Amino acid sequence: MNAVQVQKKLELSSDEDFVLTAWQYRMMQRDIAASKGKHLPAKREVRNAFRTAAAAAIAQHDREWSPAVAEVVLLISANGAAPNFEALESAGPEISSVVARRSRALLLLIDLYGFEPWAEGKWEKAARAETLSAAHASMSALHPEDLEAVENAYRHAIKKLSTSGNWTKYALLAGAGLGLGVLTGGLAAPAIAGAYGALVLGYSGAVATTAGLAALGGGSIAAGGLGMAGGAALITGVSGAAGAGMVTLAGKAAGLTAARIAADAVRLHVVTQLVLRDVDGDEEAAKAVIVSLRERVTNLGKTVAALAEHIDKLRVQVETKQSELDAEREQRVAAEDRVARFRGVADRLKERVTGPEDDELKTLIAELDELTDEKKTVETLADGVSSLADDLEEAA
């Protein structure tokens, strides 16, 4: 089995996609109802973007729903009427039984557990735990111990990732229940999603926001309809940093990109252990995942090499410019020293000589600092993905 076949195996059906969307929206609604304080407006903004994308996707996509799901879809998106978001919120418990196989239900539970849409604030622990428990209970194909197994698998994968470097800046351990947060830079999620969709995925406008939400939130229909669970997009390199092989966004969005790849790698680790191995007993698929993760590490290594080359060129430019400025300074010091002897203003000499740096030099140094940080980011990411691949290989 190759990577493309594994990715195909992890694609969500229309019904599965809808079930995941319904539970994600329910989790957000329950969280907002329990939230207070300064982050509540930002959460509502994210929720609104999510449900708008869900309604648009339901209305526009020609999907093959089962009769049970089609009935709920009609309630949510009646012709000419405003979307019925209450129906979307209540849909999860009503239609989860359409997911009849344990392996498929487990995929949805894994994606729901790792769902982390908030740009500001964290999940309310009790609300999140209650929704996860309700989803677990509603998917009758799941075993009683499955939710605990998912939580333990996430903890194990995150621990493996975090031991490979300092991931604090990417907020990967943030959230009430080890949800997989991303670096936000203080922006609201729709703004982040738009930037991510435009800069990384190559979209623009509203499409960029929808595609960006897909990258940030997972593979559900509301997140752009990518329709792949468990970080499966990472298998063939269509997730994060344009496939984890391209020089990323000159520092400013590198943290976001790195967190996206890392989050997908963690999800994929959990899916490989719990679904491909434990439930399906498909070691060939597990090996294909390991190979794909190794390929991502190789691609990241190429990114590091490209960044290192760029950094070296910038350093030469900085050194050349600094030498020019030093020579100019020496001439100016000598000239002003001669003037100072006649005017008795030696105290002013120091102020003039040590004045503001050249703007071009400042720009070069700032770019050098950004690229150096980005290189460290990608190196940390490569080490983390490699650790996850090693762990899967050792568990075979």
Side-chain angles (χ1 to χ4, degrees):
M1 179 175 285
N2 59 32
V4 174
Q5 291 170 318
V6 175
Q7 192 175 61
K8 185 72 175 175
K9 183 174 183 174
L10 297 181
E11 283 183 3
L12 299 177
S13 69
S14 296
D15 281 1
E16 292 166 347
D17 215 357
F18 182 84
V19 170
L20 178 59
T21 296
W23 280 112
Q24 287 176 332
Y25 182 63
R26 186 182 181 91
M27 182 181 282
M28 296 171 83
Q29 284 288 81
R30 295 296 193 268
D31 184 84
I32 287 173
S35 294
K36 298 177 182 179
K38 64 179 182 179
H39 298 305
L40 187 55
K43 285 187 173 184
R44 285 178 176 148
E45 189 175 359
V46 174
R47 184 273 317 273
N48 292 344
F50 182 93
R51 69 186 186 184
T52 298
I58 291 170
Q60 295 173 10
H61 285 66
D62 183 18
R63 289 171 168 256
E64 296 181 0
W65 312 109
S66 67
V69 173
E71 185 176 343
V72 177
V73 167
L74 286 176
L75 290 175
I76 296 170
S77 185
N79 290 333
N84 183 349
F85 293 122
E86 290 184 4
L88 178 61
E89 183 180 352
S90 61
E94 296 173 4
I95 49 111
S96 290
S97 60
V98 300
V99 185
R101 289 171 51 201
R102 183 185 174 212
S103 61
R104 306 306 298 179
L106 201 51
L107 272 181
L108 301 190
L109 189 63
I110 290 168
D111 235 45
L112 183 62
Y113 190 94
F115 182 51
E116 186 70 41
W118 304 135
E120 298 179 25
K122 301 177 181 179
W123 287 112
E124 295 294 328
K125 290 184 179 181
R128 179 177 179 274
E130 182 182 351
T131 305
L132 285 168
S133 295
H136 180 209
S138 297
M139 288 186 262
S140 56
L142 292 173
H143 290 183
E145 69 276 8
D146 281 342
L147 180 55
E148 184 179 0
V150 169
E151 181 173 359
N152 289 338
Y154 265 105
R155 288 182 182 277
H156 175 79
I158 291 173
K159 183 178 180 181
K160 282 292 177 183
L161 182 76
S162 62
T163 55
S164 66
N166 181 14
W167 285 93
T168 305
K169 64 181 287 189
Y170 308 112
L172 280 174
L173 306 181
L178 291 179
L180 299 176
V182 296
L183 184 67
T184 66
L187 299 175
I192 294 172
Y196 190 89
L199 294 172
V200 179
L201 302 178
Y203 297 105
S204 61
V207 177
T209 299
T210 303
L213 283 170
L216 297 175
S220 75
I221 189 174
L226 295 183
M228 288 180 282
L234 189 61
I235 295 175
T236 53
V238 298
S239 164
M246 184 181 294
V247 175
T248 50
L249 309 179
K252 292 185 179 180
L256 172 62
T257 304
R260 174 67 268 136
I261 299 171
D264 276 349
V266 167
R267 283 193 186 96
L268 193 54
H269 185 284
V270 174
V271 166
T272 302
Q273 287 291 75
L274 295 186
V275 179
L276 299 181
R277 278 179 168 158
D278 293 353
V279 177
D280 290 348
D282 193 341
E283 189 58 34
E284 283 190 21
K287 289 179 179 177
V289 169
I290 294 169
V291 169
S292 72
L293 289 176
R294 300 287 189 209
E295 289 174 351
R296 300 292 78 74
V297 173
T298 299
N299 291 343
L300 288 166
K302 293 176 182 177
T303 299
V304 171
L307 286 169
E309 183 178 354
H310 196 168
I311 287 169
D312 287 343
K313 290 178 180 178
L314 273 176
R315 281 179 177 153
V316 170
Q317 292 180 50
V318 168
E319 290 170 1
T320 301
K321 187 63 180 178
Q322 187 66 61
S323 296
E324 293 174 356
L325 289 175
D326 288 345
E328 291 176 6
R329 247 191 220 111
E330 288 178 5
Q331 293 176 4
R332 189 168 67 249
V333 167
E336 293 193 3
D337 184 50
R338 288 193 294 269
V339 172
R341 291 175 186 174
F342 291 102
R343 295 183 179 177
V345 289
D347 289 342
R348 295 175 58 191
L349 174 61
K350 182 178 179 182
E351 180 182 347
R352 284 196 295 269
V353 170
T354 59
E357 293 287 349
D358 181 84
D359 287 341
E360 184 181 349
L361 179 60
K362 282 184 176 181
T363 301
L364 287 171
I365 291 174
E367 185 178 356
L368 180 61
D369 289 342
E370 281 191 5
L371 287 177
T372 300
D373 287 344
E374 186 166 357
K375 179 172 173 286
K376 291 178 181 177
T377 293
V378 179
E379 287 173 335
T380 300
L381 179 59
D383 289 342
V385 175
S386 182
S387 294
L388 291 173
D390 290 343
D391 189 61
L392 287 174
E393 204 161 42
E394 291 168 5

